[in-house]
Amino acid sequence: MNTEYLMGEGSSAQRSVLPNGIRVITETMPALESETVGIWVDSGSRDEAQPAAGSTHFLEHMLFKGTPTRSARQIAEAFDRTGGDSNAVTSKEYTCYYSRCLVDDVPMITELLWDMVLRSKLDESEFERERGVIVEELAMAADDPVDVLYEAFDALVYRDHPLGRPVGATREQIRALEHSTLLDHYSHDYVGPRLVFAAAGGASHDEVVSLVDRATRQLPEVGPDSGRQLRPHRAVPEFAGGVETIRKDTEQQGIIFGVPGLPEGHPDRFVLTVLFALLGGGMSSRLFQTIREERGLAYTVHSIAGRYTDSGQFGIYAGTSPGSAQQVVDLVIDEFALVASEVPGEAEIADIVAQVAGATILGLESSAARMNRLAHAELSRIPLESPHDLLQQVRNVTPEHVTKLAARLFSGPHALATVGPSTSLVLPG
């Protein structure tokens, strides 16, 4: 078994690869009595073939429905008994099953998670019952104008690319999904080299590795390069501009204006973080002050960003009255254009850098945040940086860096998605 330190010799983050190809990544936080653990699958909705649309999210539901030794109720009771937080999430590039618990409960939770992930029964009658649950979940999302807006924006900018599809697919696709397709997905994706176990908290690396090894010995040994060979080819998307309008009888008009962003691991990602905060990252941000405080046009206005292994998006979300919507769009674009053409003042960027630096360190006091960053770095195949290095990267950002990046992003395609009563919004110019 190969073990290495991830942030230099003697660091608190370590990585081991078991003979079955499972990667175990931990960060020890000695003062904590708790631990956040998660099994991450290197597979998301963008990896689905069209006939299998929705199978990644459907499978996430099914793994809570029982194993040969545990019923669905027993799984739920075991999680609840710890008093912590347990759940699962499906994204466009990965699936995760996680739990936060006391260090004393880590052995039980680790065995429980692996029992679910490796020995799920995937019973066909449960599959049919859960089909109805997922259709209702999608119906609930369809009633939420914010969910509809974000899905409309992705569909607009990624068009026919898999990143443009909803993670959970459509209700029609779920109704058509076959049980055999789900089984094929499970057997192909839930294999050693595509599985990562990430943990952060009071437990030691050796203890966690031993627990994972004991729980996964049923898997066959694999070669060291199998993980890279097993991920399917992912076609790189192109960001498309334009306007997508969905009419919905709501009190507010939801708006997303966006431009191409940066992929995970891009060298300018820290500059983007500062730009994010400058335009819409808090109460003192330019757009919050301009749109909410000075003009009273919106309750909520903030930056958004999506990062994938090979692409990204950056933009602004706002909710406003239909009659003010075009004015808000114009103000967003004017402010973005200003940052792209005029270098901000040193004092303004210094304040933003201090804000981002503080948020970075405060965020790392959470075991869940540390577990997430361990897994994201592993799945994205980018180096894990120490808190000191993260701070230094943020503090190295200058006003000129911000304007240069803003100009580059703003020069790309512009996209506008909107949901609400108004159907007349346009992109200026």
Side-chain angles (χ1 to χ4, degrees), residues 95-338:
T95 312
C96 174
Y97 306 84
Y98 67 89
S99 182
R100 180 172 177 265
C101 62
L102 297 177
V103 171
D104 288 346
D105 288 325
V106 170
M108 184 274 288
I109 287 294
T110 300
E111 193 277 328
L112 171 59
L113 286 171
W114 283 113
D115 189 33
M116 291 167 48
V117 167
L118 297 182
R119 291 176 282 275
S120 179
K121 290 195 295 185
L122 302 180
D123 180 77
E124 189 165 4
S125 62
E126 285 285 359
F127 172 82
E128 292 301 336
R129 186 160 36 248
E130 198 64 21
R131 190 197 301 273
V133 172
I134 294 174
V135 166
E136 291 303 318
E137 180 184 4
L138 297 178
M140 181 176 67
D143 284 342
D144 185 337
V146 175
D147 281 355
V148 172
L149 178 61
Y150 276 88
E151 289 192 356
F153 181 74
D154 283 350
L156 169 63
V157 301
Y158 292 126
R159 302 293 168 91
D160 296 328
H161 190 276
L163 285 176
R165 301 194 306 242
V167 168
T170 65
R171 282 170 281 181
E172 293 73 25
Q173 287 170 321
I174 293 301
R175 291 188 181 105
L177 186 67
E178 297 182 0
H179 184 243
S180 59
T181 301
L182 192 82
L183 297 179
D184 288 343
H185 183 136
Y186 183 62
S187 62
H188 179 267
D189 287 16
Y190 283 62
V191 292
R194 298 189 71 172
L195 301 174
V196 172
F197 190 86
S204 72
H205 180 75
D206 289 345
E207 177 186 1
V208 174
V209 170
S210 176
L211 292 171
V212 176
D213 182 47
R214 188 181 314 141
T216 64
R217 284 181 183 170
Q218 72 182 78
L219 294 179
E221 293 190 9
V222 297
D225 296 326
S226 296
R228 293 188 181 276
Q229 295 169 355
L230 279 166
R231 174 190 279 182
H233 172 71
R234 289 174 171 173
V236 179
E238 291 187 12
F239 187 101
V243 179
E244 176 65 23
T245 300
I246 297 178
R247 192 184 186 290
K248 203 171 183 66
D249 290 327
T250 54
E251 292 295 320
Q252 281 200 316
Q253 192 80 23
I255 297 163
I256 294 179
F257 168 77
V259 296
L262 302 177
E264 289 276 12
H266 192 283
D268 287 335
R269 63 191 182 276
F270 298 98
V271 183
L272 182 63
T273 301
V274 174
L275 176 61
F276 181 104
L278 176 70
L279 284 174
M283 292 187 296
S284 63
S285 65
R286 288 189 176 188
L287 287 170
F288 189 95
Q289 287 294 312
T290 299
I291 292 174
R292 173 171 163 161
E293 298 299 285
E294 294 175 13
R295 290 174 171 81
L297 295 175
Y299 174 75
T300 299
V301 54
H302 57 78
S303 300
I304 62 169
R307 291 182 184 172
Y308 304 106
T309 52
D310 51 10
S311 64
Q313 53 183 249
F314 174 73
I316 304 295
Y317 166 86
T320 186
S321 66
S324 301
Q326 187 63 56
Q327 184 182 0
V328 170
V329 171
D330 294 346
L331 288 168
V332 166
I333 294 175
D334 287 347
E335 194 63 59
F336 207 136
L338 182 63

